[in-house]
Structure formats: structure tokens, C-alpha cells
Amino acid sequence: MPYVLQHKISEQIFTCSLVNHYGLAYYGVKFWPDQEEAEEQYLTFLQTTEGIRTEDWQVIEFEEGEMKLCNVKLKNDPHLQVFWLPTRKPEIRKLEN
């Protein structure tokens, strides 16, 4: 199961530019393959992201299909954000300028 970062208040899922296992760049959900790795690395990862308050984010477990659905809905567009609703469905919003 993948583990992702969720904003504690807004329920936004952390997204960024990534590179897949084929070496191709894409915009999608930042994830770790297991909980131990996520818990060990997420604070350091967030600290490298300018303007992020690390205490506002938490690690949550996703099913693989849920993460893939979020990535599909993001359409590889960095102007979109994904929010994970309590109904276990994604909501996509366009970034405000």
C-alpha cells in the first residue's frame, strides 16, 4: 500500500513533480511504498519544500487504486490540486493565482 501526505486541515494531498520508474517526469501524488519509509522520510522531504509547515501534514495510507485515480484526475497538470474527501473520493481544484 502506498503512503501519502495529507494536509491535516484542508485534506489536500501533497503533489509535486516526480520521476516514474521509466525515468519520465510527471506531476502527481508524492508517495512512499511502505509506512516505515514514509514516517522516516516525510519530515526531511517537507523541509526541502519552501513555504511548507511540516506540522500541518500527516502520513496516511492509500490503496494503490486510490493513488492512481488521484494521479489520473491531476492530468499531469501542476495547476491542479487534489483533496481527499472523507467519502474516500478525490476532489480536484485549480490553483488560485
Side-chain angles (χ1 to χ4, degrees):
M1 295 269 191
Y3 290 83
V4 302
L5 294 172
Q6 182 181 47
H7 193 270
K8 292 176 183 176
I9 298 167
S10 72
E11 298 180 328
Q12 178 182 356
I13 299 299
F14 193 93
T15 54
C16 60
S17 294
L18 301 163
V19 177
N20 68 17
H21 60 276
Y22 298 110
L24 301 172
Y26 71 100
Y27 179 78
V29 175
K30 172 63 178 164
F31 75 97
W32 290 268
D34 60 63
Q35 186 174 12
E36 184 177 311
E37 186 177 349
E39 294 291 345
E40 288 175 2
Q41 296 179 9
Y42 89 95
L43 285 175
T44 303
F45 172 77
L46 287 175
Q47 290 168 346
T48 64
T49 307
E50 192 172 319
I52 296 288
R53 290 175 34 132
T54 58
E55 63 273 10
D56 292 344
W57 294 86
Q58 63 187 349
V59 173
I60 65 166
E61 182 180 28
F62 259 16
E63 291 182 16
E64 184 131 358
E66 293 171 335
M67 188 183 72
K68 287 179 180 180
L69 176 61
C70 289
N71 282 334
V72 167
K73 294 214 174 248
L74 283 170
K75 302 177 188 175
N76 204 24
D77 184 346
H79 298 102
L80 298 178
Q81 297 174 318
V82 64
F83 295 79
W84 193 246
L85 304 177
T87 57
R88 298 209 58 85
K89 293 188 178 183
E91 179 179 294
I92 303 299
R93 300 179 194 163
K94 189 161 183 93
L95 273 173
E96 307 228 355
N97 293 335

